[in-house]
């Protein structure tokens, strides 16, 4: 980011060196001691691929080694070399909970979401509503909503999902607030499916929607067929068949800091390159292919995760005999909100 | 509306009478010649009930007597005594088309909608997309969208629906534009279900929604179960379980001039009285009950239609052993847009 | 508006005539009995010019003949032949008050405004704030705000202004509410210039602006110089140098039902013709010229008023040696709010 | 910010230590290795006061030691100990230019503004419009607008102003784009006062305002009297008489990333403490007083600058015989845009 102070050309003059020191003693840094840096973004972090075999193995090891109470959340955070998160604003994690386990109730200003990879019998309770989770479902935990997770005790298998958060961005703004719920689990106060029903074509008269704090549930049984139907249309030159998860209150991005997408690369589809100020993290739901990011070639198949840092050229190619389906999260809403979103296409 | 000029108290003075005449010769009307009228709305038209037996019989007679080509649309307009429309801003009509018939393609600035009462095999083509119609479905024809209706030739029964329009309001503003499509039917240029898909929880990235001109399809197979589920919640004191049909672009009322609602009166439910500056027209989808409007008692059952003029006190009572379901349209969006919506509750 | 029922071609068939009568007995009107009317607006009312000499003479006569108490407001309403208002949605009136007179305090859902023509020493009190009025000032009285007018007793001349209201539109919607203030004048509860200050480049933190109910004061000492400065720029082909009075909360039209404009026709300027679904009423502030509306030629000079009905072609020509300045009010906000605004240019 | 990985309690188990290392080899960090940190913001940087005597002396020294060409901008950046900017999202700098100097034309995605401290004869050209600068004026340079500064050669004194930028925030998002204009100065393409005129009570019909890119000019001759008039009203318990500089397009904060305020502490005024997630930087325009931030006591007088880091308790006390006037910039718009703005009052 080139924000460090450096000796400028002028600074070789001894009188300037002395002056700079005098300024520094008064908590002042002269403009001419800064490198202004390159004329565009430098891109934060590098593209990275996490193979499902490794992720899965690590999760099983973690399930053996550490209890959910001890761990807080049994979560593995995908962080490229030198990075503290998946991108400069987003965290992509994978979480495993075994039958009978409870990830206790808390809340925080970070916006979170879960995209279910495998297993059944898990529930997330958000603000008093228990939501059953099935593979492919996307469930959001808006900023400052209490949430806890649990798996039915009589299940036969652990449940694994992707956790997405805007933690790095909230830390950049130093705006993290958090607290524990007084009990391990919050009581159910809202009937089943209430949140999901609020996203339908009809909605209670006078319901006060809140674009930041209203949770949302996107069922795979709805999303997957929609993807199939839109696959009949042209699609986008850079992303194939690509759909936004829609915020039920605003009609825009899923949340104020994170947007989500589901996309299909049809058999033989190779997209055009582009880059944008937003960054993204991906999880492969079906099929296989390759994504070229900068000078990297990420060869992915079902279950893998990868990231695309901000402002890096990238394009996708489907491989194999069936379409590939990618789920992703991105920080475009932040860039749009402050007028800093840009995209370039080749 | 008391806008007529009247002799004021002062006008008995001969010099004022002469002056008023001099003004009138110059196309001027003095303030003191006007009755300012009552301090609130006078209410336009009277409550009226149309029984299904009569509506249905008249439709069958019309089907015998007049062809769809001759009639333009084979439509019966429900108009209370002295009114040219169902309320001062809304038209509720019923339409019947027989197998093989075509209601030819045109467009107009009036916003229209159809709520299907009975029959299958009918289609509405809106802006190049053919939408199959099933009982209980609501399909909109936004302002200035080409639309034509047709029933498959090999069907066994006529198809009947409610037509809703904002024609009276558009006439009040003298803003009607209309024209015929060059051919009787417009070609299909959009794949099936495209409009419906745009209302789902996911939506193509970059799709430019237009809150005034984007059509919408609300399937009964979605709306009816949602109503059932929301019936578990408290409901509204004046309307029972009442849901807005949501505009897929704005998240607000169905359109800029017409809103639609579906509501359930649960067994034994009797609502509290209220009145509002908006007017409404109803169609009974299931069950029976009574609506008290002003000093009228409208006893309705399945298939009936009725209106509630603006600013009339009204309340609903369910009757019989099963819930009543009412579909309605209203002009509340207009009143809200210009800051003139008001409601009073008893 | 062609909403009357007429015998259609088909109606000559006796069985249809009988059927139509049976329908009418059931409060139903068949579609085929309606003329659908022309494919565009029919235009409401005709263009009309009111010369200042006549307006002024009538105001002086009214000042002699009728007291402000007796008259309610000493107001003359400019109504083209056959019309109950200046256009189908707008009322333009002229009002005169003599030194010492009080037009008592009331409120109503109609939005009102005053544009001062001549005289000093007058005040309008709006929601507890007394606003001194000077020629050329525009002061709004938003929907449901209490207002009273008064002229200082020691003044030497009567004060004359233009009153603008959306009364016809509010009557069309049957949404008039009104009531008198308990005393003839409301007490002053807000410091001088508070409303004007809220329109400046700085504004109290946390001030809750209300786009419908916040009053506004536009001083001629600001508006006239701005007009002069913008006259250096290109201007609009149909209207010359034309400025919107800006709502201080929304940044859009002055109010939800009425917009106002000030425009200059520079020496020799002749504008291009256009027509739009909105209607307008004008008052000539400076200079002279001619406006061609439909087949009428309205030759106006300082003080005159005229109207342009909806959807009539019109263009302006400046005359004489100095620029002409026109103030006007229009109903474009209503048409835009419901998606029915259209304009055509030659 | 506590984002560093740390040995957790569990990590003393050797098998966990080995596992964590295996994870790290795969670019994964386990949740249990993170400190979750405190339940609220940690606050970035410390409060700091820069006295005018020192700032001024340093500027004069800089004027002697380094030319504007060599320096790029002759700008001193106020950076508390350990910080690279004034707050975690904002840069406050002071700049001096001598008669005849030119700070060459460039543009960048950073939003910038200037608040003039002393001197006349300076101009900023923004997107082709030259704006003359007088003490107390605030002139914005929106994101991606070309701008250059120059002082008339025949002037007798240097011109000094405050530069405000959102550079740290743009760097956090890694969204800096910049380039030089081909010539040292851009040509004038827009008439004088055009930008200022767009902020008045009237505005050209059809002018397309852009909330991110439209410049704004706030004249001290307007702002100071408004402050005086609002000083008659109650004011805010935490900030005295405090006014927002209003974005002329949105009616909201000055820009998407920076808001500005002018505030008066009346004689004897002592405000109530509060803290908020937003940070701020201040410049003292008139008078003297003390601001208590956390455990610091910043005693300021005319010309001084100070910062208030995010989420630190602070309150103000006026001192001396005349009111104090503070100008400030803050990052509240960013926090509001993403739903992370919070305030607590004592």
């Amino acid at each position: 980011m080139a924000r460090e102070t450096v000796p400028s050309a002028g600074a070789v003059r001894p009188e300037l060196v002395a002056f700079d020191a005098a300024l520094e003693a008064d908590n002042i840094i002269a403009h001419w001691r800064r490198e202004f840096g390159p004329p565009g973004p430098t891109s934060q972090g590098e593209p990275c691929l996490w193979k499902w075999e490794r992720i899965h193995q690590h999760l099983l090891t973690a399930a053996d080694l550490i209890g959910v109470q001890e761990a807080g959340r049994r979560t593995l955070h995908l962080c490229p070399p030198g990075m503290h998160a998946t991108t400069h604003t987003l965290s992509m994690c994978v979480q495993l909970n075994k039958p009978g386990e409870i990830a206790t109730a808390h809340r925080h200003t970070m916006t979170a979401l879960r995209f279910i990879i495998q297993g059944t019998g898990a529930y997330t309770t958000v603000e008093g509503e228990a939501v059953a989770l099935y593979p492919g479902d996307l469930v959001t935990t808006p900023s400052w909503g209490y949430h806890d997770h649990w798996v039915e005790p009589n299940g036969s298998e652990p449940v694994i999902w992707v956790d997405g958060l805007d933690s790095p961005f909230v830390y950049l703004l130093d705006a993290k607030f958090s607290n524990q719920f007084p009990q391990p689990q919050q009581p159910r106060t809202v009937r089943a499916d209430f949140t999901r029903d609020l996203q339908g074509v009809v909605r209670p008269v006078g319901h006060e929607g809140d674009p930041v704090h209203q949770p949302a549930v996107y069922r795979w049984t709805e999303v997957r067929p929609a993807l199939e139907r839109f696959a009949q249309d042209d699609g986008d030159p850079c992303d194939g068949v690509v759909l936004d998860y829609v915020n039920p209150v605003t009609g825009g991005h899923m949340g104020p800091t994170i947007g989500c997408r589901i996309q299909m690369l049809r058999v033989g589809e190779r997209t055009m390159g582009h880059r944008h100020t937003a960054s993204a993290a991906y999880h492969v739901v079906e099929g296989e292919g390759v994504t070229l990011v900068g000078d990297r070639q990420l060869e992915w198949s079902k279950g893998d995760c990868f990231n695309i840092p901000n402002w890096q050229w990238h394009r996708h190619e489907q491989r194999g005999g069936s379409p590939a389906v990618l789920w992703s999260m991105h920080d475009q809403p932040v860039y749009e909100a402050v007028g800093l979103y840009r995209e370039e296409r080749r």
Side-chain angles (χ1 to χ4, degrees), chain A:
Chain A
M1 269 188 272
R3 287 176 295 167
E4 296 309 300
T5 59
V6 296
S8 69
V12 299
R13 286 199 272 141
E15 66 274 26
L16 260 188
V17 172
F19 181 43
D20 290 344
L23 289 173
E24 195 154 344
D26 278 349
N27 296 313
I28 294 173
I29 301 173
H31 181 73
W32 50 88
R33 289 184 63 209
R34 296 264 165 108
E35 292 280 6
F36 193 61
T42 52
S43 191
Q44 301 300 299
E46 54 189 86
C48 203
L49 177 69
W50 294 266
K51 296 301 291 179
W52 174 245
E53 297 75 16
R54 306 290 297 196
I55 293 171
H56 191 221
Q57 184 55 52
H58 289 314
L59 283 169
L60 295 180
T61 302
D64 283 344
L65 278 184
I66 192 161
V68 72
Q69 302 305 343
E70 186 186 3
R73 296 314 206 228
R74 193 187 288 108
T75 299
L76 304 182
H77 193 166
L78 310 180
C79 299
M83 297 285 285
H84 292 291
T86 315
T87 79
H88 65 313
T89 67
L90 297 171
S91 288
M92 180 177 266
C93 309
V94 283
Q95 180 167 172
L96 179 149
N97 287 292
K98 293 187 280 189
E101 287 188 328
I102 297 167
T104 56
H106 65 183
R107 65 176 174 178
H108 41 62
T109 47
M110 281 83 98
T111 294
L113 57 88
R114 281 143 256 301
F115 181 83
I116 315 307
I117 298 178
Q118 65 177 223
T120 57
Y123 292 78
T124 289
T125 304
V126 183
E127 287 290 283
E129 177 185 344
V131 179
L133 306 173
Y134 303 97
D137 290 351
L138 173 62
V139 179
T140 72
T141 307
S143 180
W144 210 236
Y146 277 114
H147 54 284
D148 53 86
H149 318 304
W150 42 284
V151 183
E152 288 180 342
N154 54 354
S156 58
E157 52 172 358
V159 178
I160 300 174
W161 62 69
V162 171
D163 280 306
L165 294 107
D166 61 357
S167 304
F169 178 68
V170 175
Y171 279 120
L172 287 177
L173 290 184
D174 190 22
K176 190 200 79 169
F177 294 84
S178 64
N179 64 259
Q180 292 293 126
F181 195 79
Q183 287 82 42
Q185 287 184 281
Q186 54 182 319
R188 294 201 201 182
T189 57
V190 181
R191 71 167 171 82
D193 289 328
F194 183 71
T195 281
R196 181 59 196 78
D197 287 346
L198 290 180
Q199 289 177 273
V201 291
V202 288
R203 188 184 303 165
V205 171
H207 179 79
E208 296 273 330
D210 179 326
V212 173
H213 301 104
Q214 182 169 311
V217 177
Y218 307 85
R219 293 290 180 201
W220 190 241
T221 50
E222 286 191 304
V223 171
R224 188 62 182 80
L227 190 58
E228 199 73 40
R229 287 195 303 276
F230 281 114
Q232 304 167 52
D233 306 329
D234 284 350
D236 179 271
C238 296
D239 280 306
V241 184
V242 58
L243 311 181
D244 277 321
Y245 289 79
V246 179
N247 182 294
V249 178
T250 65
H253 290 300
M254 191 213 73
T257 50
I258 309 180
C260 292
R261 290 181 179 141
I262 193 76
Q263 81 191 85
M264 180 186 285
L265 301 169
R266 291 161 289 196
V267 175
E269 190 151 25
R270 303 172 63 147
T271 69
M272 195 172 74
H274 66 150
R275 62 176 176 176
H276 33 63
T277 47
S279 66
Y282 286 74
H283 169 74
V284 182
V285 188
E286 302 176 14
E288 57 188 303
V290 59
T291 294
L292 297 100
V293 193
D295 58 0
R296 301 287 177 85
Q297 188 155 331
L298 308 177
E299 305 203 8
W300 42 258
S301 54
K302 181 174 162 57
D304 295 353
C305 296
F306 63 93
N307 69 315
I308 297 180
N310 63 311
W311 205 242
Q312 294 221 2
W313 289 103
H314 57 279
R315 59 186 184 80
H316 310 286
E317 296 182 13
Q318 181 274 352
R319 297 257 169 102
S322 60
V325 175
L326 301 172
W327 176 89
S328 61
M329 56 189 283
H330 60 81
D331 52 12
Q332 191 174 325
V334 169
Y335 288 84
E336 290 178 350
V338 294
L340 293 169
Y341 183 71
R342 286 195 187 198
E343 185 198 8
E344 285 181 4
R345 297 187 167 211
R346 285 232 205 260

